[in-house]
Amino acid sequence: MRTRITDLFGIEHPIIQGGMHYVGFAEMAAAVSEAGGLGLITALTQGTPENLAKEIARCREMTDKPFGVNLTFLPAVTPPDYPGYVKVIIESGVKAVETAGNNPQQWLPALKEAGIKVIHKCTSVRHSLKAEAIGCDAVSVDGFECGGHPGEDDVPNFILLPRAAEELKIPFVASGGMADGRSLVAALSLGAEGMNMGTRFVATQEAPVHANVKAALVAASELDTRLVMRPLRNTERVLNNAGVERLVEKEKTLGAAITFNDIAEEVAGVYPRVMRDGDMDAGAWSCGMVAGLINDIPTVKALIERIMSEADAIIRQRLAGALDGKIEALAARRPEPVLA
């Protein structure tokens, strides 16, 4: 399958692995890239630019295919060493960067001069147009279904993607609710050039997270996520657990008077305890509604092959059959899950 996204990043399949805190290590990125997608190392998870350089080197030992780095720009009293991270990315020879969070404009000249393609994560059409205007090569359009931060507009992908297609000239991928071949075909039909998957990739054999995390995703339904930190206008979609229920109760009790310090116990420092140690009730960790579509823990290669095979069957059989009036083709069954 060839799209503007596969051409832009030099990949075989129009599938990008989202940058995920305490998931985006070399093992994850290399597995996705080896399977024909675009894997991403999460820079801030590494802690320092020096550690990021080591992680990029580790990834290079695992794959000779294109992979990239996610760099999220966060507001902070003491911000991370962003100049150092950008310097490492450029000097390492990485050719793809996913930016997220605050406007990345000040970092684009250096990245572009180094020949790096930049895809920026956006949750609205207006932010996507801004990313296009400042020179980003592509955008990842995040619908309300997504895990992590969906913005404050609450627009789901069935509306957001075609609106983005109406306005943007640069290519974009769909993010939020992406899990299988049906997701990919739907994204393409709504104007996207591929899809970005986060939560679905966590439930794979290569994902470097505790087995409890993967089991929780398989057990979850589409009803098991919660929106937290909305009173702080920093809304995050997370998987429900005891820590999240404590957080939600604080939000109900304190209302508009709530501050970050009130919920710090359920938010700060949670990811190592969940992803590394498997403490599933530690607090809030990002998870999309797509958890309801996760029923197994395949290898990354098996997952991507299944997605592409399913997408091909939908396009060639179900959709072509509908055009040809072949009703029996509409009942084409979904391939059985690959368990290993």
Side-chain angles (χ1 to χ4, degrees):
M1 186 180 288
R2 182 178 179 183
T3 73
R4 287 195 289 166
I5 285 293
T6 61
D7 286 351
L8 181 66
F9 293 113
I11 54 179
E12 182 180 357
H13 306 306
I15 298 174
I16 298 175
Q17 166 238 319
M20 295 173 284
H21 202 34
Y22 275 83
V23 181
F25 292 99
E27 292 86 350
M28 185 84 264
V32 173
S33 291
E34 274 293 294
L38 181 68
L40 296 176
I41 294 170
T42 305
L44 297 188
T45 293
Q46 313 312 319
T48 67
E50 293 75 20
N51 286 342
L52 175 61
K54 294 175 184 177
E55 200 68 13
I56 291 171
R58 276 211 316 132
C59 196
R60 280 236 165 77
E61 294 175 355
M62 301 176 190
T63 183
D64 58 3
K65 295 186 177 181
F67 64 90
V69 172
N70 163 277
L71 186 55
T72 300
F73 299 103
L74 300 172
V77 176
T78 305
D81 181 8
Y82 287 120
Y85 283 117
V86 171
K87 184 173 184 287
V88 163
I89 289 169
I90 292 171
E91 291 179 350
S92 72
V94 167
K95 293 303 180 184
V97 168
E98 178 192 61
T99 55
N102 289 345
N103 189 325
Q105 185 170 8
Q106 74 178 99
W107 310 105
L108 288 183
L111 294 171
K112 303 283 280 186
E113 186 178 347
I116 296 171
K117 303 300 183 184
V118 177
I119 180 169
H120 186 61
K121 189 177 289 291
C122 303
T123 60
S124 69
V125 174
R126 65 185 182 280
H127 292 154
S128 299
L129 287 170
K130 180 66 174 179
E132 180 178 77
I134 65 175
C136 292
D137 300 284
V139 291
S140 175
V141 177
D142 273 26
F144 184 55
E145 309 92 327
C146 74
H149 299 279
E152 308 301 325
D153 293 342
D154 299 358
V155 181
N157 268 330
F158 242 75
I159 307 301
L160 189 58
L161 297 178
R163 279 291 296 120
E166 290 174 352
E167 301 285 348
L168 290 170
K169 296 181 178 63
I170 59 175
F172 68 94
V173 295
S175 183
M178 302 292 116
D180 52 32
R182 297 171 298 180
S183 309
L184 178 56
V185 174
L188 295 172
S189 70
L190 292 172
E193 303 279 346
M195 66 180 183
N196 177 302
M197 295 199 309
T199 303
R200 172 66 267 202
F201 274 130
V202 180
T204 57
Q205 292 184 23
E206 293 92 339
V209 300
H210 198 283
N212 290 354
V213 177
K214 303 178 187 185
L217 292 175
V218 172
S221 81
E222 67 276 15
L223 304 177
D224 289 328
T225 67
R226 298 290 182 270
L227 294 174
V228 299
M229 295 192 288
R230 175 140 284 190
L232 301 176
R233 293 193 62 78
N234 189 31
T235 302
E236 183 176 5
R237 186 179 297 282
V238 300
L239 189 67
N240 193 33
N241 59 44
V244 169
E245 289 178 357
R246 291 194 304 271
L247 193 164
V248 170
E249 186 59 35
K250 289 180 181 180
E251 290 182 339
K252 289 179 180 177
T253 302
L254 297 173
I258 198 167
T259 68
F260 181 79
N261 287 338
D262 294 319
I263 59 172
E265 183 181 351
E266 288 80 27
V267 177
V270 166
Y271 275 84
R273 293 161 60 194
V274 173
M275 299 298 177
R276 185 186 62 208
D277 303 334
D279 180 359
M280 302 313 298
D281 289 321
W285 58 281
S286 296
C287 176
M289 296 175 78
V290 75
L293 297 176
I294 296 174
N295 301 305
D296 63 350
I297 307 172
T299 64
V300 168
K301 184 176 187 292
L303 175 61
I304 289 181
E305 287 180 350
R306 184 170 77 197
I307 289 170
M308 298 311 301
S309 175
E310 186 177 319
D312 185 85
I314 291 170
I315 294 168
R316 295 181 188 274
Q317 298 174 31
R318 182 174 175 83
L319 300 184
L323 288 176
D324 295 339
K326 297 176 181 177
I327 302 300
E328 66 275 8
L330 300 182
R333 292 190 301 169
R334 184 183 181 203
E336 292 297 318
V338 178
L339 300 178

